Amino acid sequence: MDVSNEKELKSIEIYCILKNKLRKERKLMHKIEIRKNGPIEQFEMDINKFNILIGEQATGKSTVAKSIYFFRTVKTLMTDYLTQLYDSNSYNNQLQEGIPIFKAISHDLKSVFIRLFGYSWDLNPDLYLKYEYYDDIWIEISMYDDHIKRRRYISVNYSEEMRRQISELQAEVRQMRNDRMHVTTSLALANEERKRDYNAIAQRVNEIFHD
């Protein structure tokens, strides 16, 4: 083969590798969408490791930052729930037998939302937030009105794939706990195993959230 052709093919190969790598990185990039929240009418942004928000006062910079923080809190709550489940089959001193993780953390998650944005009845009824951790891993926030009670509530909706993966992980953690309960070992070895399992749980959560 001609040397020039060989170099050209090599350059094309490197280009394709870099292009695929860039495409993969873009696909893994988190994304947020905000509508009717505070001063923000419509906003979308890809979440990088480092983002800069520039704008005049009261244009929504803090709202964007708080929205991102809220969705990042979900992973923290889920990790905390799963480690408590592993330790004691409970969450915040409440027995968790047969309770889905999404129901268990619902109160805490909505409390974080209220602390950041205020009570639901003071918010725009058309408020909508969506955070994409991956193509099919996302969470939506919206409002719904209960006309009988005359109250407005916060609705948290998880993608089907997120529900599937997190539910499977919850079942795995329950099994890890059951396996640990049937093994007799020294306190030192038990603590080491506990640390390893904690790290394994955190790693699995990170993988689901693509962190």
Side-chain angles (χ1 to χ4, degrees):
M1 181 184 291
D2 187 88
V3 176
S4 61
N5 289 339
E6 187 175 348
K7 287 183 177 179
E8 185 178 351
L9 287 173
K10 189 66 176 176
S11 298
I12 293 173
E13 182 182 355
I14 293 172
Y15 170 77
C16 290
I17 291 171
L18 292 174
K19 186 176 180 180
N20 288 335
K21 184 176 183 293
L22 181 60
R23 185 183 294 119
K24 184 178 180 181
E25 288 176 350
R26 284 176 176 171
K27 192 175 184 181
L28 291 175
M29 189 180 294
H30 294 192
K31 180 179 179 180
I32 191 167
E33 179 181 355
I34 305 171
R35 296 201 302 261
K36 305 292 185 181
N37 188 14
I40 296 178
E41 285 293 313
Q42 174 74 37
F43 179 84
E44 290 186 23
M45 182 177 74
D46 290 331
I47 310 298
N48 300 303
K49 290 183 179 179
F50 186 77
N51 289 86
I52 298 177
L53 298 173
I54 300 173
E56 296 180 0
Q57 187 175 355
T59 54
K61 299 185 299 297
S62 296
T63 301
V64 173
K66 288 191 289 186
S67 299
I68 294 171
Y69 171 79
F70 169 76
F71 285 109
R72 302 297 292 174
T73 299
V74 180
K75 187 184 78 170
T76 304
L77 283 175
M78 288 189 175
T79 304
D80 183 39
Y81 172 88
L82 291 167
T83 51
Q84 287 191 49
L85 186 71
Y86 172 83
D87 276 336
S88 59
N89 196 33
S90 65
Y91 177 64
N92 295 343
N93 298 318
Q94 297 293 320
L95 188 66
Q96 293 299 300
E97 198 63 47
I99 299 177
I101 184 173
F102 304 100
K103 181 178 180 180
I105 69 169
S106 176
H107 175 76
D108 288 344
L109 190 59
K110 290 178 180 179
S111 294
V112 173
F113 186 91
I114 290 169
R115 190 168 68 246
L116 292 171
F117 302 111
Y119 289 101
S120 55
W121 51 83
D122 293 325
L123 299 174
N124 192 312
D126 296 322
L127 178 147
Y128 175 83
L129 307 175
K130 183 177 182 180
Y131 196 101
E132 293 183 17
Y133 303 88
Y134 195 63
D135 289 344
D136 52 359
I137 303 291
W138 48 260
I139 301 174
E140 290 178 328
I141 302 293
S142 59
M143 300 288 120
Y144 75 93
D145 291 326
D146 187 326
H147 297 291
I148 297 176
K149 295 182 179 180
R150 297 183 179 179
R151 296 290 296 272
R152 181 175 299 144
Y153 296 97
I154 302 163
S155 175
V156 183
N157 183 34
Y158 301 88
S159 70
E160 184 177 341
E161 183 61 18
M162 173 173 274
R163 283 188 170 275
R164 184 187 69 78
Q165 292 193 34
I166 292 294
S167 296
E168 287 180 357
L169 180 55
Q170 184 180 15
E172 290 172 18
V173 171
R174 290 187 190 279
Q175 188 59 52
M176 289 165 65
R177 170 178 166 75
N178 291 336
D179 293 344
R180 180 172 61 90
M181 297 297 290
H182 292 91
V183 175
T184 303
T185 185
S186 68
L187 181 60
L189 288 176
N191 284 335
E192 285 299 317
E193 182 183 4
R194 182 169 175 266
K195 288 179 183 178
R196 286 196 300 271
D197 287 342
Y198 265 36
N199 289 334
I201 291 168
Q203 183 177 344
R204 283 286 290 113
V205 174
N206 282 337
E207 289 171 356
I208 292 171
F209 282 82
H210 292 270
D211 275 342

